[in-house]
Amino acid sequence: MGNPTRRAFTLAALAAVTTTGAAGTGTAAAASARTGTAAAPTDTGTAAAAPTDTGTAAAAGRHRAGPAEMRGMWLATVANRDWPSRPGLSAARQRDELLTWLDLAVRNRLNTVMFQVRPTADALWPSSYEPWSQVLTGTQGESPGWDPLGTAVAEAHARGLELHAWFNPYRVATHSDLGRLVPTHPARLHPEWVVPYGGKLYYNPGLPEVRAFVQDAMLDAVRRYPLDAVHFDDYFYPYPVAGQTFDDDAAYDAHGGGHPSRAAWRRSNIDLLVLETAGRIKAIRPTTQFGISPFGVWRNASTDPLGSDTRALQSYDDVYADTRRWVREGWIDYLVPQLYWNIGLAAADYAKLVPWWADVARGSRTRLYLGEALYKAGDPAQPAAWQDPAELSAHLTLAARYPQVRGHVFFAAGDVAADRVGAMARVVADHYTLPAAAPRSPMGAGVPAPGAGPRSRGPVT
């Protein structure tokens, strides 16, 4: 998102609709606060200060009560959004800060941390495929002297937390200079894999060799650690940038045959990434789940009668992610659409999107959780609804009417700690009075073949 700042995402645009106005006409500002573009609220920008309470809450984490539900938070590392508080800290200081975030999750009666371990085609573990991330030492490729992901898994489990390793599949850098990458970086060794776009560098999803490589790089972590889940964010093809074209002409000429359009070919590329990753995860570690957190609108009803009553950017058309299909076909274990809008927003009303997604999930093996914009609560740049400490609690109250909704994930850890207007404290007081375990799929559940999902409402579009 412009200078590095949010939700993993600076994370490119997470908002995608304007939140001003009574007019309520959303614009596709493409802002997933998790990518690092100027529009993004937080995925990369200034790093939030780490919380200071370092007390361990392991005992509390082990006491489970109440029905299983997802209670998660994203812990973003891109541009040092949440952790580490700055690059170049000692290994001991980095470790202490990481444990403080895990303790924060326990104190808020959360049960899952989505830890961003591959923010920009780099790694927060000793990867066999990609360099150490510069968010650790300030220098890409330089070892921090410890294993952050291995530590996070062990310490999360010691506290009764699940650890979902969060990966961005195709983002290479939040700048456009290939020469700034370490010389041994795969993108330097294979510049033909890389497409500059919008001031950033991306791997080309249309190249089969790229799709295979990014899977190998991410699955290296699955082989090494008992991850509870592999978690993708909302960046597939990049969010649209006005006046720019994502140059995949050569890849389309070579591999696009048999598809009715470039858009259909691009969606097929992302479908293949999802399906192949799901199958390979289960082959390596059957108990590891696979979840994705996409932009919160699949398609608008004005475009497709199956779409939602919204006027926003569309993941199907703009980033070529057919998120509805992944749920209906049961290709993944869970989906967390980023419903980062308030109740009553004309362009993208939370109260309309929740029942729409619940209807999509009905009858599917894919569990539905909802992504919540905690980062907006108390932000003076946001509409009046986000100045009300009760807004987020009202989201959970509304969602509780729909049995398909199995929990919520909050963006992001720094905002859980800051809790500017007490919105998170209100959620905990109103909804999290008892601890709860995260939902789980049956052990070793297989990945259905394409087209094997529920068909009660006709073919998937």
Side-chain angles (χ1 to χ4, degrees), residues 28-417:
S32 175
R34 316 201 249 204
T35 58
T37 71
T42 59
D43 183 274
T44 54
T46 47
T52 55
D53 183 354
T54 57
T56 298
R62 292 194 193 101
H63 290 85
R64 299 302 189 189
E69 65 172 328
M70 170 57 68
R71 300 177 183 176
M73 75 176 186
W74 281 287
L75 179 59
T77 61
V78 65
N80 300 91
R81 197 278 181 191
D82 294 324
W83 178 88
S85 58
R86 60 180 174 83
L89 298 176
S90 68
R93 175 72 181 279
Q94 289 179 4
R95 185 180 185 278
D96 285 347
E97 286 190 358
L98 180 59
L99 300 191
T100 296
W101 290 118
L102 300 180
D103 292 338
L104 175 75
V106 174
R107 286 200 306 277
N108 283 272
R109 299 194 186 96
L110 306 179
N111 54 36
T112 303
V113 174
M114 280 71 173
F115 180 36
Q116 191 178 30
V117 300
R118 186 180 181 267
T120 53
D122 50 18
L124 271 69
W125 75 95
S127 169
S128 302
Y129 295 89
E130 294 177 312
W132 282 104
S133 177
Q134 66 183 25
V135 304
L136 298 169
T137 64
T139 302
Q140 189 176 64
E142 182 178 309
S143 171
W146 68 300
D147 181 355
L149 177 54
T151 299
V153 173
E155 294 290 343
H157 290 172
R159 289 159 172 75
L161 297 168
E162 287 200 356
L163 197 289
H164 294 203
W166 165 18
F167 303 85
N168 185 292
Y170 291 120
R171 184 173 58 202
V172 174
T174 56
H175 57 77
S176 59
D177 185 358
L178 199 61
R180 287 172 57 184
L181 304 179
V182 65
T184 56
H185 195 292
R188 290 280 299 273
L189 301 177
H190 298 279
E192 71 280 7
W193 289 1
V194 180
V195 179
Y197 180 79
K200 300 179 181 62
L201 299 175
Y202 298 91
Y203 282 131
N204 188 343
L207 297 176
E209 57 269 35
V210 164
R211 191 172 69 248
F213 172 78
V214 299
Q215 289 178 51
D216 290 343
M218 295 183 291
L219 293 169
D220 181 69
V222 179
R223 289 188 176 91
R224 290 172 182 263
Y225 309 103
L227 303 177
D228 294 293
V230 166
H231 182 84
F232 284 1
D233 58 27
D234 53 322
Y235 294 97
F236 297 100
Y237 279 86
Y239 281 91
V241 176
Q244 298 198 24
T245 300
F246 188 82
D247 184 6
D248 57 0
D249 287 354
Y252 182 53
D253 290 343
H255 305 290
H259 295 276
S261 66
R262 188 180 303 230
W265 169 70
R266 287 177 172 177
R267 274 188 293 275
S268 175
N269 294 332
I270 301 305
D271 282 349
L272 285 170
L273 172 73
V274 171
L275 269 174
E276 291 170 1
T277 302
R280 292 182 66 183
I281 290 169
K282 298 306 180 189
I284 295 167
R285 197 178 293 274
T287 58
T288 295
Q289 304 169 83
F290 182 29
I292 298 178
S293 174
F295 183 75
V297 173
W298 171 71
R299 298 190 97 184
N300 300 315
S302 59
T303 302
D304 187 324
L306 293 174
S308 52
D309 182 11
T310 48
R311 297 186 297 282
L313 179 146
Q314 305 170 108
S315 66
Y316 181 94
D317 303 274
D318 294 305
V319 297
Y320 306 99
D322 192 354
T323 54
R324 179 181 181 274
R325 183 181 192 188
W326 306 341
V327 176
R328 296 298 302 149
E329 299 281 4
W331 289 355
I332 57 179
D333 294 301
Y334 68 80
L335 192 87
V336 194
Q338 297 171 25
L339 303 192
Y340 286 4
W341 306 290
N342 56 277
I343 294 171
L345 181 69
D349 187 346
Y350 186 93
K352 292 181 179 179
L353 281 162
V354 172
W356 187 88
W357 278 108
D359 187 53
V360 169
R362 185 175 293 110
S364 171
R365 68 172 287 272
T366 299
R367 295 186 304 283
L368 175 65
Y369 313 136
L370 304 180
E372 301 290 347
L374 178 61
Y375 70 93
K376 289 186 174 181
D379 180 349
Q382 298 297 331
W386 292 106
Q387 313 313 315
D388 183 352
E391 173 70 24
L392 273 185
S393 180
H395 288 197
L396 273 67
T397 299
L398 186 155
R401 297 187 226 150
Y402 301 91
Q404 293 80 18
V405 178
R406 304 285 300 280
H408 303 260
V409 184
F410 301 90
F411 190 83
D415 306 285
V416 174

